[in-house]
Amino acid sequence: MHPLPDLAVVGGGIAGLVAAIEAALAGARVTLFERASLLGGRARSSAHRGFLFNQGPHALFHQGALARWLRRQHLLLAGGFAGTHPARFLWRGRLCEMPLGATALLGATWLTPAEKWAFARGLLRLLRADPSSLGGTTVGALVAPLAPPVRALVEALVRLATYGGSLDEMSAECALSQLQLATRGGVRYLDGGWQSLVDALEARARSLGVEIRTGEGVRAIEGAPPALHLRTDRGDLVPSRAVVVTGAPGRVAALIEERAGALHRFAGGAIPVRAASLDVALRPGVPTGGLVLGEDGLYLNDHG
């Protein structure tokens, strides 16, 4: 039987590592369980023939919660801000300049004067609005009254800021909050990919005494606080006073013995976000087009 930890963390991605560090800083004795052999989850990066490939969308919003937390922890990672190339928009088969900024907006010949005014006024109103006033509205309903090119532009910006494409199901409150966050502080891409972030968090956690068990997943959480038990994939029964679980709602709910209750109702109604991406490695000197968004959900960007 393992000694009783103050807190067990299930999941060794970014959320699990941050939770373990916070608990350790508060004086708790922490054990972290990760089913995979490596920490990081989708935040990991892999190297192949001298090129670095991320395993997920790895933009760090400079004013986001994670970036602010990293600064409080004095975990300052090297990287640069996105946006060195002008953004373009694929509209009805034509590659156009994105009308972001007064000069670009005035030069957007593919928009009528009325559409330019509607886009500028509508975007400014969204960036100044109180997101909490839109709690019962979807993005689709919010942009439905807009003219087609204006609606397509706003939808593209929402997809860019949220990594979500189901706008008829997406909360306008959540989308607007993220859009405002993106425009306030910009986005940074980390040198070495987010693997540098994973490595820094792992090093901090270990320095604080967090016990990290990779290759050891948890398949059930039994009992009730303060007498909880974690049943691992190896068949061990590990006691703990409290547990923090990170992961998709269905995965979290599956660990709990009780099948009724708010957690399982939420998991049953949660809609997963699925995305497909392709990273392409280019030799140095090969020209790229910077950021390109499209009315059909297209997203291309140079992360070099």
Side-chain angles (χ1 to χ4, degrees), residues 10 14 23 51 58 66 70 90 93 120 147 153-154 168 171 174 178 224 258 289 291 301:
V10 181
I14 297 296
F51 294 100
H58 291 176
L66 177 58
L70 290 170
L90 186 61
L153 283 166
V154 174
D168 289 331
S171 162
C174 296
Q178 192 68 12
E258 176 59 51
L291 174 65
N301 201 8

Side-chain angles (χ1 to χ4, degrees), residues 8 10 21 34 55 75 78 91 117 132 134 140 145 150 167 175 185 189 197 256 259 290 294:
V10 181
I21 291 170
E34 168 55 48
Q55 296 185 25
L75 291 172
W91 171 248
W117 170 246
S132 64
L134 300 171
V150 178
L167 303 186
Y189 294 116
L197 173 58
I256 310 299
R259 294 304 173 194

Side-chain angles (χ1 to χ4, degrees), residues 85 282-290 302:
H85 301 284
L282 301 175
R283 294 188 302 273
V286 175
T288 61
D302 177 6

Side-chain angles (χ1 to χ4, degrees), residues 72-92:
R72 289 197 302 271
Q73 299 300 318
H74 304 290
L75 291 172
L76 305 178
L77 304 174
F81 281 89
T84 56
H85 301 284
R88 293 179 292 174
F89 187 67
L90 186 61
W91 171 248
R92 294 181 177 174

Side-chain angles (χ1 to χ4, degrees), residues 61 155-164 175 178-183:
F61 289 88
E155 289 175 344
L157 292 175
V158 169
R159 287 193 295 267
L160 176 65
T162 63
Y163 294 105
Q178 192 68 12
L179 182 60
Q180 292 176 351
L181 180 68
T183 56

